Amino acid sequence: MNIAICPGSFDPITNGHLDIINRSARIFDELIVGVLVNPEKKGLFSIDERVKLIKKVVKNMPNVKVASFSGLLIDFMKERNIKVIVKGLRAVSDFEYEFQMSLMNKKLDPNIETVFMMASAMNSFLSSSSVKQVAMFGGCIEGLVPEEIIPDITQKVSEIHKNSNEP
């Protein structure tokens, strides 16, 4: 079986992420969306919440599974006998970072391959960080994230605003 992983923080999942997931799911027999704990990023959603949001979005994709992990991606992959990493690229800056990561992963396990998939032009500007910022300032996030999770994002932002205004 040809299994790949599409790792990321997905906080929240965007239409750009979903595009890469959809396209990858057509190439591989099974695709694992790996939700990782990134200590360098302050999360809007907990890991469990992110997994739930992604599962909601990919529920009609039978060959897509969602799992969370912490630690090294390579260790997670070895546990599940996954040999391919799929990474979406938006710009040259993404390539530089992801290229370094792919070389590090190759050093840690020479049997691992990384496949880079270019973002669709309509999603090339999208990032979870920009979506969070737009949402936090009350902007419209329609067309940026899957419609079915807009209420979840709106509710989370509302809770944060409510909690930050309490004495």
Side-chain angles (χ1 to χ4, degrees):
M1 184 182 267
N2 196 4
I3 306 172
I5 186 165
C6 185
S9 52
F10 304 103
D11 186 39
I13 187 169
T14 68
N15 285 340
H17 293 131
L18 188 57
D19 177 53
I20 297 295
I21 292 166
N22 272 314
R23 290 163 49 205
S24 299
R26 291 193 306 260
I27 297 170
F28 298 97
D29 298 326
E30 184 176 317
L31 180 70
I32 308 294
V33 178
V35 184
L36 65 103
V37 177
N38 186 340
E40 295 179 10
K41 291 185 179 181
K42 183 180 184 312
L44 177 63
F45 291 96
S46 71
I47 291 294
D48 291 339
E49 289 170 326
R50 289 181 233 170
V51 167
K52 280 184 190 175
L53 292 177
I54 297 167
K55 283 182 176 179
K56 185 187 290 191
V57 171
V58 301
K59 68 179 179 271
N60 294 323
M61 298 180 203
N63 66 326
V64 176
K65 310 289 184 250
V66 184
S68 64
F69 70 96
S70 61
L72 291 175
L73 173 60
I74 295 300
D75 292 338
F76 181 80
M77 293 174 69
K78 283 179 183 176
E79 291 170 11
R80 288 161 180 76
N81 199 30
I82 302 168
K83 300 290 185 209
V84 179
I85 302 167
V86 176
K87 294 299 292 189
L89 300 178
R90 296 169 295 190
V92 173
S93 57
D94 283 350
F95 175 76
E96 291 173 4
Y97 174 78
E98 296 299 347
F99 180 65
Q100 288 177 348
M101 291 302 299
S102 71
L103 292 174
M104 178 60 75
N105 288 329
K106 194 73 157 167
K107 175 73 173 158
L108 295 172
D109 185 342
N111 298 312
I112 297 298
E113 294 297 337
T114 301
V115 173
F116 296 118
M117 192 171 284
M118 299 307 301
S120 299
M122 63 190 224
N123 296 315
S124 63
F125 66 95
L126 267 178
S127 70
S128 293
S129 299
S130 62
V131 167
K132 283 188 277 198
Q133 190 171 32
V134 170
M136 292 299 279
F137 286 106
C140 178
I141 57 173
E142 288 180 22
L144 305 179
V145 297
E147 282 192 37
E148 58 266 47
I149 67 166
I150 290 175
D152 299 287
I153 296 169
T154 304
Q155 179 180 343
K156 179 61 88 169
V157 168
S158 176
E159 290 170 10
I160 289 170
H161 284 307
K162 179 183 170 198
N163 292 335
S164 67
N165 291 333
E166 293 180 355

